[in-house]
Amino acid sequence: MQLDSISFAQRQRLAYIDFCLLFKGAIHRQDLINRFEVGLSAGSRDFNLYKDLVPANLEYDAREKRYFQTAQFKPLFEHDAQRTLTKLANDISDGFDAIGDIHFPVEAPSSLNIPDIFIVARLVQAILNNKAVSVIYTSLSSGSGARELVPHSIVDNGLRWHVRAFDRKSQSFRDFVLTRMSKVTIKTSPDTHELAAQDAEWHRLIPLQLVPHPKNVSFPTAIEMDYGMENSQLLINVRAAMAGYLLRRWNVDCTERGTLKGAEYQLWLQNRFTLRNVDNLAIAPGYDNV
C-alpha cells in the first residue's frame, strides 16, 4: 500500500506513531487514541497498518503494553530537521510536519547549520527516558573524541542548536553543539548529581536591564518602540546559562560605559555590575573588555 492512497486523517495518525517512535523510542496505543480521539478498534488498525508498511520499525512489549523502536528503525515519513526542532521547542510534537503543513508566506533567515535529525531524536529519547548518552564529539579545542553526557534540554541559542548536559569528563554542566556530534548511543540511568535539578546555572534567573545605546542611537524612542520598553528600559529575567547567548544575538553592548561603536549596537546592558559569577556572560559583546 502506498501512503498517498491512505486518507489524510490516517496519514496524520501514522505520522504521529512514526514521530513518537523516532523521538520517544516508544508509544502506547492509548497515546494515539487520546491524541486523535479515535476508538480502540481504529487505533489498533492504525498500528496494524503501520506495521504492514514498515514491519521492522517497531516491536510490541506485552508486559509494558507499548510499542518500542527497533534497532532497524527507519522513519516512514521524512522529518525535516529545522521544522521539527522548532516544533519541539514550542512543544508541538505531533508529527504533522512529516506529511506537510500549510505553507504561510513568512520567511526566516537562512540557517547555516542544520543538525542531523537522528542525533536530535536520540538525544530527545535520552532526555525523556532519563538516560545518559555516549557521543562522538568534535570540539574546537581538542578535536574528536568520545564523551559521556547526561542531557536535559535542547536549546536554540539564536545561532545554533545545542544540548545542555552534564559532562562526565569535566564533571560539570555544559553546552554541546548538536552539529558537532556524529554518533549518539543511549546508556544507563544517571546518578543524582548529574540530573537537571543540580544544574544551578540553568535554574538561576538573572535580571538584564537593557536600554537604548547611549552613543550609537540618535533617536532612542525608535529603539524603545522596537522592544516595547517602559520608562526607557526593558527588564527581563533569563537563565544564567542562556544570558550570554541572548546578549550576543541582539548585539547588546556590555561594556562598562557603552563604548562599542557600530550601528549594530543599539542596546546597552545597564546593570552589568549587578551580575556576578555568570560564566555564560563571557561571550557577550564587550563584557570582558574592562
Side-chain angles (χ1 to χ4, degrees):
M1 181 180 293
Q2 298 297 318
L3 282 176
D4 55 11
S5 67
I6 301 171
S7 70
F8 178 77
Q10 191 166 35
R11 289 205 310 274
Q12 286 182 318
R13 299 194 296 273
L14 293 178
Y16 181 76
I17 295 172
D18 200 52
F19 189 92
C20 289
L21 288 172
L22 176 60
F23 286 93
K24 296 181 179 180
I27 180 174
H28 288 93
R29 182 169 54 181
Q30 198 62 40
D31 295 337
L32 181 75
I33 292 171
N34 292 343
R35 175 64 183 82
F36 292 96
E37 298 182 352
V38 296
L40 183 62
S41 58
S44 297
R45 286 195 299 270
D46 291 332
F47 276 99
N48 289 335
L49 177 56
Y50 184 87
K51 192 163 187 176
D52 287 342
L53 292 168
V54 277
N57 269 13
L58 75 171
E59 56 189 4
Y60 185 71
D61 187 313
R63 183 171 57 86
E64 296 199 25
K65 296 183 179 179
R66 59 174 171 164
Y67 295 89
F68 284 87
Q69 178 197 101
T70 65
Q72 298 77 35
F73 178 86
K74 292 183 179 179
L76 176 61
F77 295 89
E78 182 178 349
H79 300 271
D80 179 83
Q82 195 69 19
R83 294 168 66 192
T84 300
L85 281 167
T86 300
K87 291 192 173 191
L88 287 170
N90 289 281
D91 210 20
I92 312 173
S93 54
D94 53 19
F96 286 169
D97 84 345
I99 53 177
D101 292 328
I102 298 173
H103 294 284
F104 293 97
V106 177
E107 287 292 328
S110 298
S111 177
L112 298 181
N113 59 345
I114 300 176
D116 184 323
I117 197 67
F118 297 105
I119 296 292
V120 176
R122 193 56 58 90
L123 289 170
V124 171
Q125 278 190 45
I127 293 169
L128 293 178
N129 292 291
N130 195 30
K131 299 292 185 181
V133 295
S134 173
V135 307
I136 301 300
Y137 190 76
T138 302
S139 72
L140 291 174
S141 59
S142 58
S144 295
R147 305 287 280 262
E148 285 200 2
L149 311 175
V150 181
H152 68 71
S153 299
I154 293 179
V155 182
D156 176 9
N157 68 17
L159 295 175
R160 54 172 66 101
W161 291 89
H162 69 256
V163 62
R164 182 74 175 174
F166 182 83
D167 175 29
R168 288 178 171 170
K169 181 179 180 180
S170 65
Q171 288 292 299
S172 63
F173 287 95
R174 296 190 174 187
D175 300 335
F176 295 88
V177 181
L178 295 186
T179 49
R180 295 178 186 170
M181 294 182 180
S182 56
K183 185 178 181 181
V184 177
T185 304
I186 295 179
K187 308 286 283 186
T188 57
S189 299
D191 294 329
T192 302
H193 73 281
E194 301 172 324
L195 299 177
Q198 305 305 315
D199 189 349
E201 291 297 279
W202 181 259
H203 295 289
R204 175 186 170 196
L205 296 179
I206 62 173
L208 301 180
Q209 187 179 9
L210 308 180
V211 299
H213 199 282
K215 299 174 182 177
N216 297 335
V217 175
S218 300
F219 300 97
T221 300
I223 302 302
E224 293 171 18
M225 295 173 67
D226 280 347
Y227 297 96
M229 293 183 178
E230 295 183 5
N231 299 320
S232 299
Q233 67 175 3
L234 177 64
L235 184 63
I236 57 175
N237 292 310
V238 300
R239 297 184 189 277
M242 296 290 293
Y245 295 126
L246 183 146
L247 295 167
R248 184 176 63 179
R249 180 181 186 182
W250 293 102
N251 292 319
V252 179
D253 183 345
C254 298
T255 58
E256 181 181 3
R257 304 184 187 280
T259 55
L260 293 183
K261 296 181 180 180
E264 68 271 27
Y265 300 111
Q266 299 179 345
L267 295 170
W268 177 47
L269 178 64
Q270 194 171 50
N271 67 323
R272 73 181 303 275
F273 285 115
T274 68
L275 308 175
R276 294 287 185 269
N277 302 318
V278 181
D279 293 339
N280 191 255
L281 287 179
I283 65 174
Y287 190 82
D288 57 352
N289 285 356
V290 295

